[in-house]
Amino acid sequence: MILGAGPSGVIAAETIRKHAPHDEVIVIGDEPEAPYSRMAIPYLLIGKVGEEGTHLRHGEGHYERLGISLRRGRAKRVDVQARSVELDDGSTLAFDRLLIATGSSPASPPIPGIHGRGVHPCWTLKDARAIAALARPGAKVIQMGAGFIGCIIMEALQQRGVELTVVEMGDRMVPRMMGPTAGTMIRDWCEKKGVRVFTSTRVEAIERRAPDLMDRLAEAGGIADHVPVTPMTVRLSSGEHLPADLVISATGVRPNIGFLENSGITCLVGVLTDERLQTNVEGIYAAGDCAEAFDKVSGRTIVSAIQPNAAEQARVAAMNMIGRDATLKGVTQINVLDTLGMISASFGQWDGVPGGQHVELTDREEGRHLSLQFDGDILVGCNSIGWTEHVGVMRGLVEGQVRLGDWKDRLLEDPTLLMEAYLACAQAQGDFGAVRAKA
């Protein structure tokens, strides 16, 4: 049984079917649509794809042909002793092996008015439909949050011709991915592109005019909840009051693990797993945005909510579920971001380690920035803007924990020598093929 019909759930189900053709496989998802990718939603909003273009697998009857059963429902409780899952409709299903791939959900800050009409996350196809109805040319849109997800949404909104304002609590854009210089450069770039950006600012309230007849009809179910009825005013901690036709909440996500409370399955930030993606309960595994796995660069467990990590975790978990030994080589924090045409990247411990050395090179005129972080002679993290030719090399050096030797000092003098350092050191240590494949 697989709880969750996102990328992790689908990849795990297909992996099990490939290697165990006679096993019964059931995938439980809580949305009415066919399994789809959230990462495709911005392309849906731009109009590059239709809703079918967001689907993880195309073609009529894909899952049926593979003998994979899809069932709609939400897990309410896991009974590890009875080896069963209770769903929100009251039914109970038994399992031999269980994969928890329930993903994550938007985290809504406690702001007055945030749960009213006209405020949406950009997380599901239902959200996308509501946003598309409201984000018409000239509409005043306020986006809360300028993290990784927020920056992806931004381009879709801009291309729809809205008047966009972004409000970020941090002192820079993408503060969990970029250092002060890089985050500020991204902000300057966005403002040049016509996006108004507030940093070090909070939304304190979303205010609406007194409800009128249309509001009461909406509350009674007479009209769709995404139809604009009363205008909104967004009050900021800076004292400004901004008019809004649509507010988008992109203030982060949290793992969907509440149903595991008191189950006996150990959870920290996410569901804690070992190198085989198994939890503390034999036969129960976790993968994707809800899983907490070991990060070999930082030496600690992390929840890494990105699709490449989710896919590899799903594959490893699935192989172990059918008795094929497989281990996760590690999870690395990886982010490559396109913000209105500015390409940035962040790998590993981009903010450095205690006692470590670092070097920065910045050319604001050319929109290029490079920051390297070292622990001894190992590159443990980096930030970059505009250095697209070195993205694969940076990832390979960080993930491979390649010892740089004298090349560390050369990079401290000239960080642009990354390719030369990679060729010299990775090849010398016999890791050339692996790092080249990642590059």
Side-chain angles (χ1 to χ4, degrees):
M1 184 184 299
I2 298 170
L3 302 179
S8 290
V10 168
I11 290 170
E14 292 175 340
T15 302
I16 292 169
R17 174 54 66 240
K18 178 180 178 180
H19 296 282
H22 303 298
D23 285 4
E24 181 182 357
V25 182
I26 180 170
V27 178
I28 299 174
D30 63 356
E31 294 187 54
E33 288 85 10
Y36 65 91
S37 171
R38 302 194 195 285
M39 297 302 295
I41 288 177
Y43 300 100
L44 173 65
L45 290 173
I46 293 170
K48 287 186 176 180
V49 299
E51 287 196 9
E52 68 284 353
T54 68
H55 293 172
L56 289 167
R57 299 292 182 264
H58 302 285
E60 193 70 27
H62 171 77
Y63 300 99
E64 291 84 351
R65 283 196 303 274
L66 292 177
I68 297 170
S69 300
L70 295 178
R71 173 165 175 167
R72 186 179 179 188
R74 180 186 291 266
K76 184 178 178 182
R77 190 172 70 93
V78 174
D79 188 330
V80 300
Q81 300 299 324
R83 311 293 280 185
S84 66
V85 174
E86 180 184 347
L87 301 182
D88 55 356
D89 63 2
S91 62
T92 299
L93 301 177
F95 63 83
D96 298 301
R97 298 287 185 272
L98 176 70
L99 176 65
I100 301 165
T102 46
S104 55
S105 295
S108 295
I111 297 171
I114 196 170
H115 297 297
R117 290 180 309 106
V119 181
H120 297 275
C122 187
W123 197 245
T124 66
L125 285 177
K126 181 180 179 182
D127 295 327
R129 295 178 194 119
I131 290 169
L134 297 174
R136 298 188 176 96
K140 294 178 173 59
V141 179
I142 311 295
Q143 178 178 298
M144 299 188 299
F148 184 82
I149 294 172
C151 286
I152 292 173
I153 298 167
M154 214 184 307
E155 183 163 6
L157 293 171
Q158 190 202 45
Q159 290 197 27
R160 293 183 70 88
V162 306
E163 295 181 22
L164 179 60
T165 300
V166 175
V167 181
E168 166 59 46
M169 288 179 59
D171 63 355
R172 58 191 183 275
M173 295 187 72
V174 275
R176 296 174 189 84
M177 169 181 161
M178 289 290 170
T181 302
T184 300
M185 288 176 68
I186 294 173
R187 172 186 172 165
D188 293 344
W189 175 263
C190 290
E191 290 183 328
K192 287 179 182 177
K193 294 289 185 177
V195 178
R196 191 180 184 190
V197 181
F198 291 87
T199 53
S200 300
T201 306
R202 300 184 314 278
V203 171
E204 293 194 332
I206 301 169
E207 301 166 343
R208 296 170 178 81
R209 201 174 57 199
D212 58 14
L213 175 60
M214 293 291 282
D215 284 294
R216 289 191 287 273
L217 282 172
E219 291 173 2
I223 57 175
D225 64 359
H226 59 260
V227 174
V229 179
T230 58
M232 294 176 286
T233 299
V234 177
R235 176 159 51 88
L236 306 183
S237 58
S238 61
E240 295 200 50
H241 292 68
L242 306 178
D245 301 303
L246 167 66
V247 176
I248 293 178
S249 178
T251 54
V253 298
R254 60 168 61 95
N256 293 324
I257 58 175
F259 69 99
L260 297 174
E261 187 175 3
N262 299 321
S263 68
I265 299 170
T266 300
C267 297
L268 300 179
V269 176
V271 184
L272 191 63
T273 65
D274 63 15
E275 62 182 0
R276 290 173 171 77
L277 277 304
Q278 187 168 234
T279 70
N280 63 303
V281 179
E282 185 178 354
I284 298 180
Y285 299 78
D289 290 11
C290 68
E292 187 163 344
F294 183 72
D295 172 24
K296 62 182 179 180
V297 174
S298 66
R300 56 189 175 87
T301 56
I302 63 169
V303 175
S304 180
I306 60 172
Q307 196 157 314
N309 281 335
E312 178 61 9
Q313 290 174 17
R315 185 194 68 82
V316 171
M319 294 299 285
N320 285 295
M321 289 171 76
I322 58 173
R324 303 281 190 93
D325 187 51
T327 58
L328 188 70
K329 293 181 179 179
V331 174
T332 302
Q333 299 184 71
I334 307 166
N335 289 294
V336 179
L337 180 62
D338 182 347
T339 308
L340 306 180
M342 174 175 270
I343 308 299
S344 59
S346 175
F347 297 107
Q349 293 174 277
W350 57 267
D351 51 351
V353 297
Q357 293 177 280
H358 74 280
V359 61
E360 284 195 5
L361 180 65
T362 305
D363 185 342
R364 291 182 182 272
E365 291 294 322
E366 294 294 323
R368 289 164 73 85
H369 170 74
L370 188 59
S371 170
L372 307 180
Q373 303 286 343
F374 300 93
D375 184 2
D377 67 344
I378 295 176
L379 181 69
V380 294
C382 49
N383 270 174
S384 73
I385 291 177
W387 293 88
T388 53
E389 67 272 28
H390 287 336
V391 166
V393 171
M394 287 185 279
R395 177 181 178 181
L397 289 173
V398 171
E399 282 194 335
Q401 296 183 289
V402 177
R403 291 204 167 274
L404 295 165
D406 293 341
W407 274 98
K408 191 277 297 281
D409 294 325
R410 298 193 206 183
L411 289 172
L412 286 172
E413 293 179 6
D414 184 357
T416 67
L417 297 176
L418 277 167
M419 180 63 79
E420 292 83 350
Y422 144 69
L423 290 172
C425 300
Q427 189 174 29
Q429 294 173 37
D431 296 330
F432 179 73
V435 177
R436 183 178 182 182
K438 291 174 183 175

